[in-house]
């Protein structure tokens, strides 16, 4: 990668903390990876003294691979593990590593269980049920997450409570925290909050980690929340070596705690901070960048910057006005197909970006009708479905009874009158004895901690799993697994949990699909029976690989939300639904909300490399009613000289439709004649 002067300035600066304001498409990942390689090669930093953190596994993997390639391209130590010991990870992976090493200082043992969002929700649901509290689990989960990220303890939350709802939430927060500690478990937020607690309260551990981290590089700094910012502060002293890379114009995650003001706080916390701006864009045409700059200039800025490019002026940005939602989807599909046939543009070069997931349905229908291949990003994985996670947790427990995460998921699914208080007591007992939750159920001393009835219920469950596991190794595997599901009456549980008959039927189909899959895997290529442990291992591997495949390049039209599109780029982009109440969203009425919605529109614009088309409707159907809608205020903020308007007052003009249809037909005929 050839560095421009600003990029090089960012790479070679290391004496004081550095903020790199990296505009969209300015090569920030290259700067980070080049700087890591430069520190190792030119400044003789040991790889293990450098830590780089970002927000996604994909970004971390890409960064690690690029550093490795750079080191292999030259240098004496490049041939033999030159980057061994280098840490390139997500914030949560870094926090997990720190907690694994230092957790004993706050009573967290190695091998702790990490609850995902679904497991956390299950625990909270049981706590709410036990307390008979008038509070919904999902808002409660969000409230507790916000408290943790803002370092509000259960006691502080209770003290700050101003009404019954807040008091109830604070009390449940305390019980939830006690349950996690008793089971030697943490949730996702704890992976940042607890390491910060350790570093802030233990001087010796903090100084040891600061000595270990000689240079810290943080990507997407504008997306850090209060806890992540505190982790950075704890690892880097006032005059320490820090490179923060971010763009305040691309801060679009306030709904999950991101604080763009963390960029501004760096100037206060590090008075010797140096600022380098990366303003040259290597992605988009000058016209696209001119429109993006004009739009975002309506937001207030602490750091002023203006993207520029030498890639040429480019085509005008089109604004298509359509009659209604289906007309908008049909027009995009037709226009996309026209470009495919008349210009030879591959379908994989197109992206359709929208503000909310519900908008995708009409576009899917239009694309399917024209047999245009597409990939819908952001859909839930088969393995994320509740019923699949439930049954796989049961099957994992048959293979590995020491799996505390699986134990906690299934112990009350379906309900067995084993409440959170019982689980908390079981967890404390297991920790004292150094055992797992499952093994402790069989311990003869359990009655010293639990009432006889609770201990009996736990033993009954443990005996049930033990018998099923034994049968799985001796008998017909599929018969045993289906028998287990029948024994727990899981279908009745699905029926009780289903929000509608249609949802119940989908859940039943998912369960059947899982059994069909396991049955196919139950024999190998030579028709030999396989053990359940092998099958579960293969399913887990398939899950991980399928998630990687979702991120791979595609030859299909890409459909995704504007939030999901951040960090990506496409030759040709359609930004659809440019209307008031959609973009900006109706939940973003205040000034801060409008500013973030404008940043979201800016992110969408800067995904486009060559062409960009905005679409809107004059009327839209929602909740069974059709009503007139106004164009997005953001369209009024774009420079008219860079726009081409498509669509007469009553919809897309017929002449345009006829021209595009004729061009598409001619393109198709040319392809057929070539064959």
């Amino acid at each position: 990668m050839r560095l421009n002067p600003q990029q090089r300035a960012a790479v070679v600066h290391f004496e004081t903390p550095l903020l790199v304001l990296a505009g969209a498409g300015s090569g920030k990942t290259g700067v980070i990876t080049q700087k890591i390689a430069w520190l190792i090669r030119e400044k003789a930093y040991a790889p293990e003294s450098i830590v780089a953190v970002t927000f996604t596994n994909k970004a971390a993997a890409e960064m690690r691979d690029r550093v490795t390639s750079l080191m292999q391209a030259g240098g004496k130590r490049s041939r033999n593990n030159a980057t061994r010991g280098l840490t390139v990870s997500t914030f949560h992976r870094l926090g997990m590593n720190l907690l694994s090493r230092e957790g004993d200082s706050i009573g967290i043992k190695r091998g702790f269980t990490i609850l995902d969002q679904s497991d956390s929700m299950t625990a909270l649901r049981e706590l709410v049920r036990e307390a008979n509290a008038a509070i919904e689990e999902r808002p409660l989960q969000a409230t507790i997450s916000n408290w943790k990220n803002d370092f509000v303890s259960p006691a502080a939350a209770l003290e700050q409570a101003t009404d019954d709802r807040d008091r109830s939430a604070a009390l449940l927060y305390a019980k939830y925290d006690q349950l996690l500690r008793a089971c030697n478990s943490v949730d996702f937020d704890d992976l940042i909050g607890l390491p910060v607690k350790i570093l802030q309260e233990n001087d010796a551990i903090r100084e040891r980690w600061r000595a270990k981290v000689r240079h810290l590089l943080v990507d997407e700094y504008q997306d850090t929340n209060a806890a992540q910012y505190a982790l950075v502060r704890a690892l880097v002293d006032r005059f320490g070596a820090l490179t923060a890379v971010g763009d305040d114009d691309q801060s679009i995650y306030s709904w999950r705690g991101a604080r763009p003001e963390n960029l501004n706080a760096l100037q206060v916390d590090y008075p010797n901070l140096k600022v380098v701006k990366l303003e040259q864009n290597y992605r988009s045409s000058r016209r696209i960048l001119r429109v993006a700059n004009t739009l975002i200039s309506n937001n207030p800025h602490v750091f002023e910057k203006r993207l520029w490019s030498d890639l040429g002026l480019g085509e005008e940005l089109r604004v298509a006005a359509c009659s209604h939602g289906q007309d908008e989807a049909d027009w995009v599909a037709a226009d996309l197909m026209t470009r495919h046939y008349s210009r030879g543009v591959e379908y994989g070069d197109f992206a359709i970006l929208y503000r909310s997931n519900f908008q995708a349905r009409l576009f899917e229908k239009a694309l399917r009708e024209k047999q245009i291949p597409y990939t819908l990003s952001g859909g839930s994985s088969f393995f994320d479905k509740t019923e699949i996670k439930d049954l796989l947790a049961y099957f994992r427990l048959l293979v590995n009874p020491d799996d505390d995460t699986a134990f906690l998921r299934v112990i009350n699914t379906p309900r067995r009158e084993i409440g959170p208080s019982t689980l908390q007591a079981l967890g404390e007992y297991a920790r004292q004895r150094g055992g797992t939750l499952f093994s402790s159920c069989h311990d003869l001393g359990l009655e010293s901690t639990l009432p006889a009835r609770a201990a009996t219920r736990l033993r009954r469950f443990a005996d049930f799993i033990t018998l099923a596991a034994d049968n799985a190794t001796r008998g017909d595997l599929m018969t045993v697994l289906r028998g287990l599901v029948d024994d727990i009456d899981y279908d009745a549980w699905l029926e009780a949990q289903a929000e509608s008959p249609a949802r119940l039927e989908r859940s039943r189909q998912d369960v059947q699909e899982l059994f069909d899959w396991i049955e196919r895997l139950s024999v190998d290529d030579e028709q030999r029976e396989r053990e359940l442990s092998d099958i579960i291992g293969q399913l887990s591997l398939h899950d991980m690989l399928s998630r990687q495949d979702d991120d791979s390049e595609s030859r299909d039209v890409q459909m995704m939300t504007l939030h999901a599109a951040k960090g990506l780029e496409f030759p040709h982009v359609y930004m659809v639904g440019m209307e008031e109440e959609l973009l900006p969203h109706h939940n973003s009425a205040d000034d801060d909300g409008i500013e973030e919605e404008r940043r979201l529109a800016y992110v969408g614009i800067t995904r486009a490399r060559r062409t960009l088309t905005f679409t809107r409707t004059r009327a839209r159907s929602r909740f069974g009613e059709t009503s007139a809608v106004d164009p997005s205020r953001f369209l009024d903020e774009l420079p008219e000289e860079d726009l081409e308007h498509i669509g007469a007052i009553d919809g897309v003009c017929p002449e345009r439709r006829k021209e595009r249809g004729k061009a598409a037909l001619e393109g198709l005929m040319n392809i057929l004649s070539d064959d």
Side-chain angles (χ1 to χ4, degrees):
M1 172 183 175
R2 173 176 285 180
L3 300 175
N4 65 38
Q6 290 73 32
Q7 290 172 332
R8 177 158 182 78
V11 167
V12 302
H13 182 84
F14 72 104
E15 299 90 348
T16 64
L18 171 69
L19 170 60
V20 182
L21 285 171
S26 62
K28 68 179 179 63
T29 303
V31 167
I32 294 173
T33 54
Q34 288 272 6
K35 182 159 193 172
I36 294 172
W38 182 82
L39 288 171
I40 296 173
R41 283 202 304 250
E42 304 300 327
K43 292 300 175 181
Y45 277 42
E48 57 268 23
S49 70
I50 300 173
V51 175
V53 290
T54 186
F55 281 85
T56 67
N57 289 324
K58 181 183 177 184
E62 178 187 359
M63 206 178 292
R64 189 182 300 108
D65 289 344
R66 289 175 69 167
V67 172
T68 301
S69 296
L70 285 170
M71 295 302 298
Q72 290 175 345
K76 294 180 180 179
R77 43 187 300 161
S78 63
R79 301 300 174 198
N80 193 16
N81 296 322
T83 57
R84 176 178 291 173
L86 173 69
T87 296
V88 182
S89 73
T90 64
F91 268 102
H92 290 90
R93 172 68 69 175
L94 176 63
M96 186 183 73
N97 291 341
L98 195 152
L99 197 56
S100 296
R101 297 183 185 185
E102 313 291 356
D104 284 340
S105 64
I106 56 170
I108 303 292
K109 297 189 302 181
R110 292 181 65 88
F112 54 83
T113 297
I114 303 172
L115 272 64
D116 64 14
Q117 191 171 32
S118 176
D119 294 330
S120 169
M121 179 65 73
T122 299
L124 287 172
R125 185 176 295 116
E126 290 302 313
L127 287 169
V128 169
R129 190 178 69 87
E130 184 179 66
N132 196 26
I135 190 169
E136 294 183 18
E137 296 91 351
R138 197 166 300 280
L140 173 63
Q141 186 180 48
T143 298
I144 291 175
S145 177
N146 290 335
W147 276 333
K148 288 192 174 190
N149 287 325
D150 289 337
F151 301 108
V152 177
S153 67
L158 184 60
E159 186 177 340
Q160 297 169 10
T162 57
D163 55 31
D164 290 341
R165 193 268 177 197
D166 288 348
R167 279 187 287 274
S168 179
L171 291 170
L172 288 166
Y173 176 22
K175 291 183 178 179
Y176 173 67
D177 216 37
Q178 291 166 6
L179 176 63
L180 292 183
R181 296 296 86 79
C183 297
N184 197 41
S185 300
V186 298
D187 63 17
F188 206 56
D189 297 312
D190 288 331
L191 293 177
I192 305 296
L194 293 180
V196 172
K197 176 181 174 68
I198 292 171
L199 294 172
Q200 288 180 342
E201 296 180 356
N202 192 306
D203 294 343
I205 293 177
R206 182 177 64 253
E207 294 310 313
R208 184 166 67 247
W209 275 81
R210 284 183 172 180
K212 169 183 169 59
V213 182
R214 193 174 175 191
H215 200 98
L216 177 67
L217 302 97
V218 184
D219 190 18
E220 304 287 7
Y221 206 83
Q222 78 282 347
D223 292 337
T224 55
N225 59 27
Q228 290 156 344
Y229 186 77
L231 181 60
V232 171
R233 288 286 315 279
L235 289 172
V236 180
D237 62 28
R238 193 170 181 81
F239 303 100
L242 167 69
T243 297
V245 182
D247 181 6
D248 51 347
D249 289 333
Q250 295 189 74
S251 180
I252 57 174
Y253 294 118
S254 65
W255 48 275
R256 67 185 190 196
R259 295 186 174 185
E261 59 267 28
N262 286 347
L263 286 170
N264 309 339
L266 285 170
Q267 296 183 109
V268 176
D269 295 327
Y270 301 101
N272 55 344
L273 181 76
K274 179 179 176 62
V275 178
V276 173
K277 299 179 183 179
L278 304 184
E279 297 172 294
Q280 182 174 0
N281 176 284
Y282 294 92
R283 173 189 300 160
S284 306
S285 69
R286 291 205 307 272
R287 202 186 293 271
I288 289 173
L289 295 181
R290 191 158 64 196
V291 168
N293 286 331
T294 303
L295 173 70
I296 205 63
S297 67
N298 291 280
N299 273 3
H301 288 84
V302 174
F303 304 102
E304 293 291 342
K305 67 177 186 306
R306 192 169 184 83
L307 296 179
W308 62 275
S309 169
D310 58 8
L311 297 179
L313 182 61
E315 298 182 24
E316 291 179 325
L317 282 64
R318 301 181 300 166
V319 181
C322 304
S323 299
H324 47 75
Q326 190 61 64
D327 182 42
E328 177 189 41
D330 291 340
W331 184 88
V332 169
D335 187 72
L336 193 151
M337 189 167 68
T338 297
R339 290 183 163 204
H340 172 69
Y341 286 121
S342 65
R343 298 190 183 185
V345 180
E346 296 292 334
Y347 282 130
D349 288 343
F350 293 104
I352 300 174
L353 309 181
Y354 38 82
R355 175 63 176 83
S356 301
N357 277 309
F358 81 87
Q359 294 172 256
R361 182 178 58 83
L362 294 177
F363 290 93
E364 285 192 88
K365 179 175 179 289
L367 294 175
R368 283 199 303 266
E369 287 178 351
K370 291 180 170 56
Q371 298 184 355
I372 297 173
Y374 68 90
T375 297
L376 185 65
S377 299
S380 61
S381 163
F382 177 73
F383 295 91
D384 287 334
K385 298 180 179 181
T386 299
E387 54 272 17
I388 302 306
K389 296 187 74 169
D390 286 346
L391 295 186
L392 284 180
Y394 268 106
F395 302 159
R396 280 164 43 203
L397 207 56
L398 299 185
V399 172
N400 176 22
D402 292 336
D403 188 334
D404 282 352
T405 304
F407 181 95
L408 288 171
R409 183 172 188 91
V410 303
I411 187 65
N412 251 343
T413 306
R415 291 197 176 98
R416 296 181 174 87
E417 298 183 30
I418 300 173
S421 298
T422 297
L423 291 177
Q424 181 178 340
L426 175 66
E428 291 172 350
Y429 180 85
R431 291 184 65 190
Q432 292 170 2
R433 298 301 179 94
T436 64
L437 298 176
F438 184 87
S439 64
S440 297
C441 292
H442 290 109
D443 200 309
L444 295 177
L446 193 58
E447 278 83 354
S448 64
T449 300
L450 288 170
R453 179 177 297 181
T456 298
R457 287 174 180 150
L458 288 170
R459 286 203 182 95
R460 187 180 301 138
F461 171 75
D463 290 340
F464 169 72
I465 294 296
T466 300
L467 179 60
D470 185 61
N471 288 338
T473 61
R474 297 170 181 269
D476 179 76
L477 178 61
M478 297 308 301
T479 300
V480 172
L481 297 184
R482 292 184 187 277
L484 181 150
V485 175
D486 289 341
D487 288 342
I488 64 175
D489 203 3
Y490 190 69
D491 190 72
W493 172 256
L494 288 179
E495 189 171 357
Q497 302 300 309
E499 300 171 354
S500 66
R503 181 69 188 89
L504 174 61
E505 183 58 30
R506 286 197 299 271
S507 296
R508 285 170 170 165
Q509 291 173 358
D510 291 336
V511 170
Q512 183 57 50
E513 184 177 344
L514 176 63
F515 276 117
D516 291 343
W517 199 346
I518 292 175
E519 190 164 17
R520 290 195 298 270
L521 294 174
S522 63
V523 293
D524 61 20
D525 294 338
E526 298 179 4
Q527 298 302 304
R528 292 176 301 193
E529 292 186 2
R530 303 175 64 186
E531 294 183 359
L532 181 59
S533 58
D534 293 336
I535 297 172
I536 296 300
Q538 186 162 338
L539 285 173
S540 299
L541 180 60
H542 188 282
D543 181 25
M544 290 184 286
L545 292 177
S546 65
R547 293 172 191 272
Q548 293 175 8
D549 289 343
D550 288 343
D551 293 332
S552 61
E553 293 184 4
S554 172
R555 296 183 180 181
D556 301 344
V557 175
Q558 300 295 299
M559 293 178 57
M560 65 188 71
T561 64
L562 289 162
H563 284 97
K566 186 172 177 293
L568 304 177
E569 60 181 70
F570 310 93
H572 308 280
V573 169
Y574 294 88
M575 282 181 62
V576 301
M578 293 293 294
E579 302 150 21
E580 292 291 303
E581 305 293 309
L582 274 182
L583 188 67
H585 195 269
H586 63 85
N587 289 337
S588 307
D590 60 14
D591 290 341
D592 289 342
I594 293 298
E595 288 172 12
E596 177 151 333
E597 291 292 294
R598 187 177 286 112
R599 292 195 294 268
L600 189 57
Y602 173 85
V603 166
I605 292 171
T606 53
R607 298 313 94 195
R609 289 166 51 193
R610 294 170 55 190
T611 71
L612 176 60
T613 303
F614 301 101
T615 66
R616 68 175 181 87
T617 67
R618 294 186 173 83
R620 190 171 291 275
S621 297
R622 296 198 66 181
F623 309 113
E625 295 186 2
T626 300
S627 56
V629 293
D630 295 322
S632 169
R633 70 190 71 184
F634 300 146
L635 291 175
D636 295 333
E637 297 175 357
L638 307 182
E640 272 298 322
E641 63 270 20
D642 291 314
L643 304 180
E644 174 195 1
H645 290 273
I646 302 172
I649 191 65
D650 59 347
V652 178
C653 61
E655 292 78 10
R656 288 271 183 185
R657 287 187 186 275
K658 190 177 296 184
E659 289 174 8
R660 283 179 167 76
K662 183 178 179 181
L665 182 59
E666 289 175 353
L668 180 59
M669 294 300 293
N670 289 335
I671 290 175
L672 293 175
S673 63
D674 289 342
D675 292 341

